[in-house]
């Protein structure tokens, strides 16, 4: 399996090296992700509130980049990482608040990890509650370890079914 993993990733890694002249094994978007989660417009999800792009352009200008949209993916990610680290170091309490919100979203919105379509989130939370309640009751009521294992397996299958049925299509959240 490691060989297959290497065969799949090697072309992408070579491509990244060819474009950036740096060793980037998988993704060139780490800086972008860091900035998405750590800025004044961050929501704790994959999206930022309105005003983010203007704020980013202002920060980019402070770093001598007049037009951030003209950066290639590696340059934008590097700039985004720098801006995100500056934000984190100058706004530690906001960073902690965002981290707590991300944990909250991870546990409360387990299906889509977003807050953009509340009705689906409500259904997801209800099904998760049913799942956890069923597992807890099943483990307590199961007379032996085989019964407990069956309860856990049933919970995993139940969650997989719900997850596959309720995954948020892009059209539901307006993108």
């Amino acid at each position: 399996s490691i060989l297959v993993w290497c065969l799949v990733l090697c072309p992408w890694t070579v491509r990244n090296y060819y474009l950036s002249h740096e060793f980037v094994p998988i993704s060139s978007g780490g800086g972008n992700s860091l900035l998405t989660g750590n800025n004044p417009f961050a929501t704790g999800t994959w999206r930022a509130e309105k005003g983010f792009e203007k704020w980013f352009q202002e920060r980019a200008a402070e770093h001598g980049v007049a037009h951030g949209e003209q950066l290639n993916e590696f340059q934008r990610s590097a700039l985004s990482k720098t801006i995100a680290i500056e934000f984190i170091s100058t706004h530690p309490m906001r960073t902690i608040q965002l981290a707590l919100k991300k944990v909250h979203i991870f546990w409360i919105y387990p299906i889509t990890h977003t807050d953009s379509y509340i009705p689906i989130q409500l259904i997801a939370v209800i099904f998760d509650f049913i799942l956890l309640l069923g597992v807890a009751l099943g483990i307590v009521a199961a007379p032996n370890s085989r019964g407990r294992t069956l309860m856990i397996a049933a919970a995993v299958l139940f969650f997989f079914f719900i997850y596959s049925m309720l995954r948020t299509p892009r059209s539901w959240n307006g993108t």
Side-chain angles (χ1 to χ4, degrees), residues 46 169-175:
W46 54 268
R170 287 190 172 276
S171 62
W172 289 1
N173 58 30
T175 59

Side-chain angles (χ1 to χ4, degrees), residues 60-93:
E62 291 172 4
H63 289 274
V65 178
H67 301 287
E69 64 274 354
Q70 294 177 344
L71 299 174
N72 69 34
E73 66 185 272
F74 300 97
Q75 294 167 329
R76 182 170 172 113
S77 185
L79 178 60
S80 294
K81 178 182 174 185
T82 300
I83 294 171
I85 290 171
E86 289 171 358
F87 179 82
I88 291 166
S89 64
T90 58
H91 300 86
M93 290 308 295

Side-chain angles (χ1 to χ4, degrees), residues 48-171:
E49 297 293 336
K50 288 183 179 184
F52 169 77
E53 278 303 320
K54 181 180 179 195
W55 176 84
F56 176 77
Q57 292 302 328
E58 291 169 357
R59 301 296 79 72
E62 291 172 4
H63 289 274
V65 178
H67 301 287
E69 64 274 354
Q70 294 177 344
L71 299 174
N72 69 34
E73 66 185 272
F74 300 97
Q75 294 167 329
R76 182 170 172 113
S77 185
L79 178 60
S80 294
K81 178 182 174 185
T82 300
I83 294 171
I85 290 171
E86 289 171 358
F87 179 82
I88 291 166
S89 64
T90 58
H91 300 86
M93 290 308 295
R94 177 68 175 142
T95 302
I96 292 169
Q97 288 173 333
L98 286 167
L100 292 173
K101 186 169 183 180
K102 291 169 198 170
V103 168
H104 170 77
I105 289 169
F106 180 78
W107 289 105
I108 299 300
Y109 303 118
I111 302 279
T112 61
H113 303 286
T114 183
D115 62 353
S116 58
Y117 196 70
I118 301 303
I120 290 297
Q121 298 307 337
L122 178 61
I123 292 169
V125 170
I126 289 169
F127 277 113
D128 272 358
F129 177 76
I130 291 169
L131 169 71
L132 294 174
L133 182 64
V135 169
L137 291 173
I139 288 173
V140 169
N144 57 36
S145 63
R146 183 176 176 190
R148 289 184 185 108
T149 304
L150 286 173
M151 288 294 146
I152 292 170
V156 168
L157 288 172
F158 177 80
F159 182 77
F160 177 77
F161 172 75
I162 297 303
Y163 174 80
S164 62
M165 297 304 291
L166 295 180
R167 277 189 26 210
T168 303
R170 287 190 172 276
S171 62

Side-chain angles (χ1 to χ4, degrees), residues 7-73:
L7 287 172
V8 170
L9 291 182
C10 279
W12 195 254
T13 303
V14 169
R15 174 243 181 224
N16 287 342
Y17 184 79
Y18 176 77
L19 291 175
S20 70
H21 305 292
E22 294 180 24
F23 179 69
V24 181
I26 300 171
S27 173
S28 59
N32 297 328
S33 295
L34 186 64
L35 184 59
T36 298
N38 297 284
N39 68 74
F41 302 93
T43 62
T45 66
W46 54 268
R47 63 181 174 80
E49 297 293 336
K50 288 183 179 184
F52 169 77
E53 278 303 320
K54 181 180 179 195
W55 176 84
F56 176 77
Q57 292 302 328
E58 291 169 357
R59 301 296 79 72
E62 291 172 4
H63 289 274
V65 178
H67 301 287
E69 64 274 354
Q70 294 177 344
L71 299 174
N72 69 34
E73 66 185 272

